Amino acid sequence: KVYVQLTDSEKKEIKEIYKECREKRVSTGVLHHVDHIIPLVKGGPHHPSNLRVITAKENQSKGGR
């Protein structure tokens, strides 16, 4: 795992990404996930630059790729 020291601004960005995820589910009725573009298991950081909101179906089909 890659551990990164997050700034307060980066922590706020992460909270906003999770908020966006919840809002997309509510507005579309489709379950969404916060996805790590580079998976944690492959050394990707839990950092705003490595996060995106995608549908749960897309995320589950992605696996650890």
Side-chain angles (χ1 to χ4, degrees):
K1 290 183 179 179
V2 174
Y3 293 96
V4 292
Q5 188 68 28
L6 297 170
T7 65
D8 288 342
S9 176
E10 291 166 335
K11 290 175 186 176
K12 185 178 179 184
E13 282 183 72
I14 289 173
K15 286 181 182 180
E16 289 298 317
I17 291 168
Y18 278 89
K19 180 180 175 186
E20 175 190 349
C21 183
R22 289 188 304 273
E23 289 172 349
K24 281 191 174 190
R25 179 186 53 78
V26 170
S27 68
T28 66
V30 176
L31 185 60
H32 284 73
H33 288 171
V34 176
D35 173 56
H36 290 85
I37 299 164
I38 301 170
L40 295 174
V41 297
K42 294 202 175 179
H46 186 68
H47 185 271
S49 66
N50 192 41
L51 299 175
R52 64 183 175 168
V53 176
I54 62 175
T55 65
K57 183 177 180 179
E58 182 182 357
N59 193 32
Q60 291 165 338
S61 71
K62 179 181 155 187
R65 292 185 264 130

